[in-house]
Amino acid sequence: MPYIREILTDGHPALRRVARRVNPKEIREPLFQQLIDDMFETMYAAPGVGLAAPQINVSKRIFVMDVHDDEHEPAVVINPKVEELSEEIELREGCLSVPGIVGEIARFKRAAVSGLDRHGQKIRIEGEGLLAQCLQHEIDHLNGALYIDRAKNLRPAVSEEEKETAEA
Ligand code: GNR
Ligand code: NI
């Protein structure tokens, strides 16, 4: 059964490590599949639209995401690689590892990421809006970066809109 793991918050050294690539042979192991299930469980419980393995103290290049739109299914991406990007725009952002805070950050409007899914099959995810933003945010986590490192106007989430960004 999947269970909810503890989400680390800013200040924990595990959030600052560069996560290691996953050996594709490891993907079909039961413990690895459990990890993915636990990541979804933890993300949905938070609630959040994405979660990277380092946030639950697993230094591996894996993230899960569900932006809750009709075009994009929930996804897990292992060993992600950014394939193409577009012009930058400024977006409001939050992070489960920096609870209650929001700020503005420059992100590419469109993003495409390739990698492996939970069966070890090649996948490619492409889009704009929250999907593109989330892809970039999760890949930052795998590189030990947090959005607060380059965000502007960091502040406690006060309005309903800001609270939504801060938690989901
Ligand atoms: O749940 C989340 N919401 C969010 C909102 C705007 C930009 C990025 C995000 S990702 C965040 C979950 C999280 O911290 N993933 O690492
Ligand atoms: Ni985050």
Side-chain angles (χ1 to χ4, degrees):
M1 287 292 287
Y3 68 97
I4 297 168
R5 309 249 191 136
E6 185 193 340
I7 298 177
L8 305 181
T9 53
D10 183 30
H12 195 293
L15 291 171
R16 295 308 190 170
R17 286 183 202 121
V18 177
R20 299 195 49 191
R21 290 175 58 81
V22 173
N23 181 338
K25 280 189 238 163
E26 186 187 339
I27 296 174
R28 51 189 153 83
E29 290 172 14
L31 267 179
F32 191 89
Q33 294 293 318
Q34 170 89 37
L35 169 63
I36 292 169
D37 291 339
D38 291 353
M39 286 177 68
F40 276 113
E41 195 82 357
T42 305
M43 175 183 76
Y44 287 128
V49 294
L51 186 79
Q55 292 180 278
I56 57 162
N57 211 356
V58 175
S59 195
K60 294 182 181 188
R61 303 189 79 81
I62 314 162
F63 67 80
V64 295
M65 64 187 286
D66 184 354
V67 293
H68 305 284
D69 73 23
D70 303 333
E71 286 173 49
H72 298 98
E73 302 269 286
V76 46
V77 186
I78 299 162
N79 298 339
K81 182 170 160 240
V82 179
E83 296 263 296
E84 62 186 56
L85 303 163
S86 64
E87 77 276 19
E88 283 188 313
I89 50 170
E90 199 149 279
L91 296 167
R92 189 177 55 227
E93 191 154 318
C95 179
L96 294 170
S97 295
V98 192
I101 303 291
V102 293
E104 271 75 39
I105 185 168
R107 292 290 189 194
F108 296 103
K109 193 173 171 211
R110 288 192 69 82
V113 166
S114 64
L116 301 177
D117 69 10
R118 66 180 305 156
H119 310 294
Q121 310 281 355
K122 273 199 171 175
I123 47 161
R124 189 170 186 279
I125 300 175
E126 184 182 343
E128 52 183 49
L130 183 61
L131 179 98
Q133 185 181 12
C134 190
L135 288 170
Q136 294 165 76
H137 178 107
E138 301 315 332
I139 289 175
D140 279 352
H141 276 301
L142 304 184
N143 294 326
L146 296 176
Y147 87 100
I148 52 171
D149 302 344
R150 353 183 244 110
K152 292 193 292 192
N153 194 20
L154 286 168
R155 60 198 183 273
V158 175
S159 70
E160 278 310 308
E161 252 189 312
E162 287 173 346
K163 283 183 187 164
E164 218 168 86
T165 302
E167 68 163 25

